[in-house]
Amino acid sequence: MNKILLVEDDHLLNKTLTYNLSLDGYELTSVFNARDAAAAIRRQRFDVALLDINLPDGNGYELCKLVKAEAQDTLVFFLTANDQEREQVQGYKAGAIDYITKPFSVIALQHKISAMLAMVENHKPFEDIYDDGKLCLDFARQTGTIAGKQLMLSAMEYRMLALFCRSAGQVLTRRLLLERLWDAEEKYVDEHTLTTTVSRIRGKIEAEGDCYIKTVYGMGYQWMGEGQKGK
């Protein structure tokens, strides 16, 4: 599950973002000042940091430096009401990936975070084979076996399984799955196709009571397999 640090002293905006991003399946740590933010940064690593620049006891630029010192690959977004070019440049120099000017669309921000995490994930090295001793999937060759018997999976089913294996343990929301599962002709997968594909995959790999894909009600799905991924 991707972890997000939200530092925003506007209580209404903080609660709104926390609510909406939690619904997307992220693990949120939300604070209202620089002191608590610094403590959270030293305590754990975050995948994304949303930093208000003007805080009652500090500023987002210094927090960005602290975030990057702890985890260089954390995606930092600055949230600010100031749209001056000089401050935007300062934000990028500090290590931010984007500069979000208030007021902004919460939905647009959600999509932006999802898109940036997907881009990072797609550039991470990913081994082509999943093998837990019972289920074996070769994503490069699109072949698979379950308990030694050959699996018949479609290209879309392999795409979905690869996404699940890349995100093992993370709750993938239905919206996130819909956004990332494009076929070669860029034909968007709809809700019905998504549900049907998950059900069909389960029927093929969970025949003996195994649970590889867990439904997280009201959110989406989570891959529960713990196989060795490697060549």
Side-chain angles (χ1 to χ4, degrees):
M1 180 181 295
N2 291 120
K3 297 179 180 180
I4 295 180
L5 171 65
L6 170 61
V7 188
E8 172 57 63
D9 65 341
D10 181 316
H11 284 241
L12 178 58
L13 179 57
N14 190 307
K15 290 181 179 179
T16 300
L17 289 173
T18 298
Y19 174 78
N20 284 279
L21 291 170
S22 295
L23 286 181
D24 281 346
Y26 302 116
E27 180 181 326
L28 262 290
T29 297
S30 65
V31 297
F32 302 95
N33 56 61
R35 182 191 61 191
D36 291 343
I41 292 166
R42 294 188 179 98
R43 190 166 54 244
Q44 65 176 302
R45 177 194 175 281
F46 294 96
D47 301 291
V48 176
L50 304 175
L51 308 178
D52 188 6
I53 291 180
N54 298 310
L55 295 164
D57 59 344
N59 66 75
Y61 300 126
E62 294 303 316
L63 288 176
C64 182
K65 293 176 184 177
L66 183 58
V67 166
K68 290 296 184 177
E70 296 291 332
Q72 183 63 36
D73 57 348
T74 299
L75 302 177
V76 176
F77 296 79
F78 279 125
L79 309 177
T80 178
N82 194 332
D83 61 357
Q84 292 184 8
E85 181 178 355
R86 179 176 57 82
E87 293 210 357
Q88 291 186 31
V89 171
Q90 184 178 353
Y92 290 124
K93 286 183 176 180
I97 198 169
D98 208 349
Y99 192 98
I100 313 297
T101 303
K102 303 174 186 177
F104 56 83
S105 164
V106 173
I107 294 176
L109 178 60
Q110 289 173 265
H111 282 280
K112 183 170 291 190
I113 292 171
S114 175
M116 293 307 302
L117 285 171
M119 184 180 71
V120 170
E121 187 65 37
N122 288 336
H123 283 82
K124 286 182 180 178
F126 174 67
E127 302 296 347
D128 292 331
I129 293 176
Y130 172 93
D131 188 355
D132 62 14
K134 183 175 184 180
L135 173 64
C136 181
L137 301 167
D138 187 325
F139 296 108
R141 295 183 176 86
Q142 293 204 344
T143 59
T145 59
I146 182 75
K149 297 179 181 179
Q150 185 175 2
L151 280 170
M152 300 301 293
L153 298 167
S154 69
M156 174 57 73
E157 289 166 348
Y158 275 112
R159 283 173 61 82
M160 183 176 288
L161 282 167
L163 178 55
F164 275 128
C165 288
R166 284 188 179 97
S167 310
Q170 177 183 342
V171 177
L172 300 181
T173 64
R174 295 181 65 85
R175 190 180 75 182
L176 184 147
L177 286 165
L178 288 169
E179 288 177 351
R180 297 192 188 180
L181 291 174
W182 294 72
D183 65 17
E185 289 77 36
E186 296 189 349
K187 180 180 178 182
Y188 202 64
V189 181
D190 60 25
E191 284 270 356
H192 176 72
T193 303
L194 175 61
T195 302
T196 301
T197 304
V198 170
S199 178
R200 193 162 55 234
I201 290 173
R202 281 173 164 162
K204 295 176 181 180
I205 69 174
E206 298 182 350
E208 297 181 7
D210 297 319
C211 178
Y212 282 102
I213 304 174
K214 175 184 176 182
T215 297
V216 182
Y217 291 99
M219 296 181 69
Y221 304 98
Q222 182 179 22
W223 180 256
M224 305 302 291
E226 297 181 353
Q228 297 296 317
K229 305 171 188 67
K231 294 183 180 180

